[in-house]
Amino acid sequence: MRKTFKYRLYPTRKQENTLFWTLTRCRELYNAALSERKDAYKYAHKSITYRMQVNDLPEIKGAIREDYQDIHSQVLQDVLRRLDNAFAGFFRRLQNGEKPGYPRFQGRNRYNSFTYPQGGYSLSEKHVTLSKIGTIKIKLHRPLEGTIKTCTIKYEAGQWYCVFSCEGEQPTALPASSSEVGIDLGITHFAALSDGRFIESPRSFRKAEKMLVRRQQVKDRRKRGSHRREKARKLVAKAHRKIARQRRDFLQKQSRKLVQEHQTIVFEDLQVENLVKRPKPKQDENGKYLPNGASAKAGLNKSITDAGWGMFVDLCSFKAACAGRNVVKVNPYKTSQICSACLQECPHKELDERVHTCIHCGIMLDRDTNAAINILRLGRSQQSAMAVEAPRL
């Protein structure tokens, strides 16, 4: 099993300048390699591979860019590997009929990490030593587990981090439990559980939205390219970093609690990317644009993104795999319309209708709780359909 461990670095002023210098040279190599691939196909219809570009690195370091000799060779190779992975993802999406997303040139504020894939680093109790850079103070707030495979140096909103990817054994599973739960993810409540409980959303982005708007306005008033604009940009980045940390902390704690309490957790198989799409524009016969609810949809999209449904399901899946638990995803079709008591379909509910009232059996309960019970029922039927009876001897 591969796990990552992220630790804060505390470089000196000189070491930070060296880190920035290395990061800039890696970004230049990435953009140059991308330009080479793009031009070779455009003018000669020739495909440049990772192996071809790696074989050219010694010549580039010796004759064209002698400053690359001050960077560990495997760091430069990993830059080219990163570009090759970007092209592999592009061709895979193209083959699957998805939005391709051709690899793009990386600007100064977009390329923020470099990696030692095999060696060139060593770790002690309070320091990490990086080849061609030096020994940097590190805060090991929790012990490493397993064998270190890669070391990534990352810059995030004024702070440096060291990320270790480790390979270790499968953790010990938790004792088996008979508890099962269905979960309906929502906006009014972050999650409704099939046992009638609710998990309230912290709404981290919504609470910090006014402060973000003020900082963004200050940044926009500053002259482009000035030091004052750069300071304002860093304040905006720090605000986003805090929001992301608050959201992730909440999701980590709730996912851990659910995995500890329940043997099987059932979610809807939501396509969040489709849920947050913008509404299509509407036009009349004269070509005049009509109201299409884009403003209301933008607010809904913001709340969905703030909740972090996709990250929550991923965290539950990972923790469940480590703990010997099960995560099941079911089709969300009509889980809100079908009555969980009599299994009869009820009329469609608008988003502002928060109570489920069955016209067939008369039961009344929260609409999200009703959906969570249906999700659990579908999860149980899906598991029983997948179960294989042992042969009789």
Side-chain angles (χ1 to χ4, degrees):
M1 174 171 288
R2 293 291 285 264
K3 296 179 68 175
T4 58
F5 297 84
K6 185 176 180 181
Y7 303 104
R8 175 84 182 274
L9 291 177
Y10 296 89
T12 63
R13 181 70 61 86
K14 183 179 179 180
Q15 290 172 339
E16 187 173 34
N17 291 336
T18 305
L19 291 172
F20 276 126
W21 182 88
T22 304
L23 201 58
T24 301
R25 299 303 175 274
C26 290
R27 178 175 59 86
E28 290 174 354
L29 177 62
Y30 183 95
N31 290 337
L34 173 57
S35 179
E36 181 186 21
R37 289 196 179 204
K38 190 176 180 180
D39 293 343
Y41 188 81
K42 181 179 180 180
Y43 297 111
H45 296 285
K46 180 183 178 181
S47 296
I48 304 295
T49 64
Y50 163 76
R51 183 54 54 188
M52 296 167 63
Q53 291 184 319
V54 166
N55 292 337
D56 291 339
L57 265 181
E59 182 180 353
I60 294 173
K61 293 168 64 176
I64 304 175
R65 295 296 300 269
E66 294 183 0
D67 52 348
Y68 281 176
Q69 295 180 4
D70 294 329
I71 303 176
H72 195 270
S73 59
Q74 291 187 2
V75 171
L76 298 176
Q77 294 172 14
D78 185 77
V79 172
L80 300 178
R81 174 64 69 186
R82 185 180 299 190
L83 176 63
D84 189 63
N85 291 337
F87 272 98
F90 166 73
F91 290 120
R92 173 182 53 79
R93 292 188 295 270
L94 198 64
Q95 186 176 7
N96 295 338
E98 305 173 12
K99 187 176 180 180
Y102 189 83
R104 58 177 290 178
F105 292 100
Q106 300 297 315
R108 181 171 58 90
N109 294 325
R110 290 183 58 88
Y111 198 95
N112 59 359
S113 66
F114 58 90
T115 300
Y116 292 84
Q118 293 180 349
Y121 58 88
S122 61
L123 181 65
S124 62
E125 185 177 354
K126 294 184 179 181
H127 297 87
V128 59
T129 302
L130 306 174
S131 178
K132 303 297 182 84
I133 294 177
T135 302
I136 304 176
K137 184 179 177 181
I138 188 172
K139 177 67 174 178
L140 297 176
H141 62 276
R142 61 169 176 162
L144 277 170
E145 298 176 7
T147 305
I148 300 176
K149 292 297 183 180
T150 65
C151 172
T152 299
I153 308 302
K154 189 174 184 180
Y155 179 73
E156 290 183 1
Q159 296 179 355
W160 289 93
Y161 296 91
C162 187
V163 184
F164 295 104
S165 177
C166 301
E167 189 176 75
E169 298 180 355
Q170 180 76 16
T172 304
L174 294 175
S177 171
S178 59
S179 178
E180 299 176 324
V181 67
I183 299 177
D184 178 63
L185 300 174
I187 300 298
T188 305
H189 308 283
F190 173 76
L193 279 58
S194 55
D195 57 9
R197 293 182 295 162
F198 296 97
I199 300 176
E200 299 301 330
S201 176
R203 307 184 196 279
S204 304
F205 181 83
R206 289 292 190 180
K207 292 179 180 178
E209 193 170 10
K210 290 184 179 179
M211 179 264 293
L212 270 174
V213 170
R214 289 195 302 269
R215 292 191 178 184
Q216 188 67 45
Q217 289 173 346
V218 171
K219 181 183 81 70
D220 293 340
R221 288 196 296 265
R222 301 289 187 253
K223 183 179 178 180
R224 288 184 177 273
S226 66
H227 292 292
R228 297 180 72 208
R229 185 182 176 93
E230 179 63 17
K231 288 182 180 179
R233 185 196 65 79
K234 288 182 178 180
L235 287 177
V236 175
K238 288 180 180 179
H240 281 290
R241 181 183 65 196
K242 181 176 181 180
I243 294 169
R245 286 177 174 177
Q246 289 174 336
R247 181 185 299 116
R248 189 171 187 87
D249 178 71
F250 168 77
L251 298 179
Q252 289 275 11
K253 291 177 179 177
Q254 295 300 327
S255 59
R256 180 180 180 86
K257 185 177 180 180
L258 285 172
V259 169
Q260 288 179 334
E261 292 178 353
H262 306 286
Q263 180 69 30
T264 301
I265 306 172
V266 188
F267 291 102
E268 291 177 306
D269 191 9
L270 296 175
Q271 303 299 320
V272 181
E273 185 177 348
N274 296 333
L275 292 176
V276 296
K277 282 184 176 180
R278 296 179 179 178
K280 294 181 179 180
K282 295 181 180 179
Q283 292 178 289
D284 58 13
E285 60 276 4
N286 298 324
K288 182 180 179 181
Y289 285 98
L290 302 173
N292 63 345
S295 179
K297 186 64 168 66
L300 178 62
N301 292 348
K302 190 180 295 184
S303 297
I304 292 175
T305 307
D306 187 21
W309 294 344
M311 184 187 296
F312 181 66
V313 176
D314 290 342
L315 288 173
C316 286
S317 301
F318 173 75
K319 295 180 189 298
C322 294
R325 307 299 202 196
N326 303 317
V327 169
V328 182
K329 297 180 182 179
V330 299
N331 190 346
Y333 182 66
K334 290 188 176 181
T335 52
S336 295
Q337 277 71 51
I338 296 177
C339 177
S340 58
C342 63
L343 304 184
Q344 298 293 320
E345 184 176 346
C346 298
H348 176 74
K349 304 182 186 70
E350 298 296 333
L351 289 178
D352 57 350
E353 297 181 48
R354 306 312 307 169
V355 178
H356 166 76
T357 304
C358 182
I359 61 174
H360 304 286
C361 65
I363 190 174
M364 293 181 61
L365 70 163
D366 187 272
R367 63 172 290 169
D368 294 336
T369 303
N370 175 73
I373 297 174
N374 285 328
I375 291 169
L376 177 59
R377 175 178 54 81
L378 292 173
R380 287 171 174 168
S381 61
Q382 185 170 306
Q383 281 189 303
S384 62
M386 295 173 60
V388 179
E389 186 178 355
R392 296 181 179 179
L393 300 178

